[in-house]
Amino acid sequence: MKDLADLFPGFSSHWIDTSAGKLFARAGGEGPPLLLIHGFPQTHVEYHRIAPALARKFTLVLPDLPGYGWSEAPKSDASHAPYTKRAMALALIELMQQLGHVQFGVIGHDRGGRVGYRMALDHPGRVSKLSVLDIIPTLDMWKGMDARRAMIVYHWPFLAQKEPLPEMLISKAPIEYLEWTLGSWSPDGLKKFDPRAMEHYRAFFSDPLRIHACCEDYRAGQSTDVKFDEEDFKAGKKITCPTLALWGARGIPNSGGDPLAIWQQWCTRLEGRAIDCGHFLPEEKPAETAEALLEFFGRT
């Protein structure tokens, strides 16, 4: 494997044992702790453009989710248990504890946003504030899966197909699939992505074990994650910490209803708005995204 650029100079590196196996994380900055959770098909590197601004005010922890990046890919089972957002959230709490952080703010993009809101529901005492980037809850995504949405988020039903169908097809051209996916979710294609970050994504997505882990993530999302959401929604359980929803004006959530109205059904202290970009807020509009996050998490 070719050497990959260090996009977080001055940050420390950690491999930490958790219930999901050994997870990798970068850490740096000064101030209250802030956990940044990446999405698919990326790694912690997706935050490299906003990390310098956030690190001036916060101690950042940027893990790779189980099965992504440099983190261990736990062996799955018929219920896809290690890849549920509940299991991932618990593993990240364990990671944060070992780094000395009991309560912390959470930023989650894409799949990371799903881990983040599940963490806030399951462990409300841990999450001081939450920001979700370009998602709506998993239950609402599947409930709204009509023909139009299915064409936009075809990867949801595709990656959730029974093993080995998606793994077999993706493994024939993993880099092409990765680049098509990233480029199709941004109005400018791949132009807004740092070539050095792209090398990180290509290296991770070239590993068949990690392609399988990504599919398990989506299989859990289609089954057990929906069940957990349904149980909480029917019980009237809410996210009680201050919550900021940001989404791309040309992103996926904005293509099917008002994201803020959807999140209002789940949160008691919500605010949010669109940013003029596609799906990848931290890379397409880093300055505006960082400014919104700093204002929200810096408020007392």
Side-chain angles (χ1 to χ4, degrees), residues 49-128:
R49 283 180 170 154
I50 68 172
L54 296 180
R56 288 193 283 270
K57 299 289 186 180
F58 298 94
T59 298
L60 307 186
V61 178
L62 305 100
D64 285 333
L65 285 169
Y68 287 76
W70 292 329
S71 287
E72 187 175 338
K75 183 175 176 57
S76 197
D77 59 20
S79 66
H80 322 292
Y83 294 93
T84 64
K85 308 312 155 293
R86 174 164 286 168
M88 289 185 176
L90 179 60
L92 293 187
I93 286 174
E94 294 165 357
L95 180 147
M96 291 297 280
Q97 282 186 171
Q98 292 192 53
L99 291 174
H101 308 305
V102 175
Q103 189 180 56
F104 42 86
V106 176
I107 298 169
H109 172 239
D110 188 84
R111 309 308 286 178
R114 303 185 189 287
V115 177
Y117 85 74
R118 175 46 54 194
M119 187 183 295
L121 285 166
D122 288 353
H123 308 276
R126 301 289 191 166
V127 182
S128 57

Side-chain angles (χ1 to χ4, degrees), residues 14-19 21-25 61 91 94-96 98-99:
H14 305 268
W15 276 266
I16 295 174
D17 289 319
T18 74
S19 54
K22 197 177 291 290
L23 302 186
F24 176 80
V61 178
E94 294 165 357
L95 180 147
M96 291 297 280
Q98 292 192 53
L99 291 174

